[in-house]
Amino acid sequence: MATADWALYTRRALERSGHRSSAPRAAVVDTLAELGCSVTAREIANRVEQRGRAVGLASVYRTLELLEQMGLVQRVDLGEGVARFEPAHGSGEHHHHLVCDSCGNVTAFEDADLERAIERLSGRVDFAIDAHDVTLRGECPACHATTSPS
Amino acid sequence: MATADWALYTRRALERSGHRSSAPRAAVVDTLAELGCSVTAREIANRVEQRGRAVGLASVYRTLELLEQMGLVQRVDLGEGVARFEPAHGSGEHHHHLVCDSCGNVTAFEDADLERAIERLSGRVDFAIDAHDVTLRGECPACHATTSPS
DNA sequence: CTGAGTGCAAACAGTTTGCATTACT
DNA sequence: AGTAATGCAAACTGTTTGCACTCAG
């Protein structure tokens, strides 16, 4: 399964580039793999602690920063004033996020049509585009049900 | 011209909804209209000060928050860790942003194709979408020239 | 044994809030 | 006169940094 692959690959990549394999760092990698899509640094620290081990928040941030520079982690900003992070799966996989305005719930989606539109657009603008974010906001099914009970 | 229209309309809207017309608030409105697209609270405060008058940063934030709630101002988060704001022009006008990774320069763009793709997509997901942000990142022409001098 | 990596606490930056003061209406 | 709105400074939040300590290589 992809999440275990990523954790493994990431640990290898760290080794390969001469980084020491420390317990805290491994815990962050494993936990990010476990939690998956768009998690905050604090969520990672909390989860690690739940599992008995413990990591300083600073180390979580330092690890995430390192991994981001290595292209193994993607930083995501959904406009909540908190940075979110997720495993970066190679070049292929590519998703964006739906955010529920009521409960803050975050879900991922992918859409080839959208990607195509953005790609075309990228060729048309005068910037040299190399990344893009799309965030859709609204109400998730659960909140929608309670808000407008038909 | 649109910027003056917006300032006028906004001041009217404030009056109409029973808000006092104070000098600081008017200054914020005028300055946001003048600066236009995606400015920070501090930029507004600075600009107001340059023009002789002065506003506390807190008042700038309070005004922007009020205007946002009234739908007259749009809050924009480009993932820099600073909130940006811009005049919200009615329902029609709709743009997104290009951010230069090197110099931080922000430019606006609109693209009907992209909007259409998002609209179609919105119908397909299980959230009730009512807003969306798109941010394209890359190198602006100026930075691109200095980075890769052909 | 050496220094990369850690944890803590202090420093920071942006934003929000409490409160006494100001100034529209 | 009454009270919405202001300005300042303190409080808060998320993130970064300095520094002494630890542990992997």
Side-chain angles (χ1 to χ4, degrees):
Chain A
M1 154 198 296
T3 94
D5 284 355
W6 178 84
L8 192 62
Y9 178 80
T10 297
R11 294 234 229 93
R12 288 262 172 73
L14 282 172
E15 253 178 72
R16 222 180 309 125
S17 48
H19 290 283
R20 293 189 181 170
S21 110
S22 73
R25 210 171 255 174
V28 170
V29 171
D30 289 349
T31 305
L32 181 53
E34 179 198 341
L35 296 179
C37 174
S38 66
V39 284
T40 66
R42 170 151 277 121
E43 282 166 356
I44 294 176
N46 289 346
R47 185 81 187 93
V48 172
E49 197 170 13
Q50 275 176 22
R51 293 203 278 169
R53 300 187 269 170
V55 210
L57 238 200
S59 296
V60 176
Y61 277 110
R62 282 190 276 234
T63 300
L64 290 171
E65 189 191 355
L66 173 62
L67 294 176
E68 191 195 6
Q69 284 166 356
M70 296 176 69
L72 294 163
V73 156
Q74 166 85 37
R75 182 187 295 252
V76 183
D77 188 325
L78 301 176
E80 318 146 295
V82 210
R84 293 181 170 274
F85 302 85
E86 49 192 40
H89 296 274
S91 49
E93 208 253 358
H94 199 80
H95 69 250
H96 297 291
H97 301 92
L98 292 164
V99 183
C100 177
D101 290 328
S102 321
C103 69
N105 184 14
V106 175
T107 319
F109 72 86
E110 3 190 347
D111 187 69
D113 248 36
L114 177 60
E115 298 301 328
R116 238 173 283 126
I118 290 178
E119 206 162 313
R120 275 195 303 262
L121 171 58
S122 296
R124 229 175 299 137
V125 298
D126 52 355
F127 274 48
I129 304 302
D130 50 44
H132 64 263
D133 311 320
V134 179
T135 309
L136 268 47
R137 296 171 201 291
E139 235 174 2
C140 70
C143 288
H144 197 62
T146 59
T147 305
S148 47
S150 54
Chain B
M1 156 199 292
T3 95
D5 284 356
W6 178 83
L8 192 61
Y9 178 79
T10 297
R11 293 232 229 94
R12 286 262 172 73
L14 283 171
E15 253 177 73
R16 222 181 308 126
S17 49
H19 289 284
R20 293 188 182 172
S21 111
S22 74
R25 210 171 254 175
V28 170
V29 171
D30 289 350
T31 305
L32 181 53
E34 180 199 341
L35 296 179
C37 174
S38 66
V39 284
T40 67
R42 172 150 277 123
E43 282 167 354
I44 294 176
N46 289 347
R47 184 81 187 94
V48 171
E49 199 171 11
Q50 276 176 20
R51 294 202 277 168
R53 300 186 268 171
V55 210
L57 238 198
S59 297
V60 175
Y61 278 111
R62 281 190 276 234
T63 300
L64 290 171
E65 189 191 356
L66 173 61
L67 293 176
E68 191 193 7
Q69 284 166 356
M70 297 176 68
L72 294 163
V73 155
Q74 166 84 38
R75 185 187 294 249
V76 183
D77 188 326
L78 301 176
E80 318 146 296
V82 210
R84 293 182 170 274
F85 302 85
E86 50 192 39
H89 296 274
S91 50
E93 208 255 356
H94 199 79
H95 69 250
H96 298 291
H97 301 91
L98 293 164
V99 183
C100 177
D101 289 328
S102 322
C103 69
N105 183 15
V106 176
T107 320
F109 72 87
E110 0 189 351
D111 187 71
D113 248 36
L114 177 61
E115 297 302 328
R116 239 173 282 127
I118 291 178
E119 207 162 313
R120 276 195 303 261
L121 170 58
S122 297
R124 230 174 300 141
V125 298
D126 51 355
F127 273 48
I129 303 302
D130 50 45
H132 63 264
D133 311 319
V134 180
T135 308
L136 267 47
R137 295 172 202 290
E139 235 175 2
C140 70
C143 287
H144 196 61
T146 59
T147 304
S148 48
S150 54

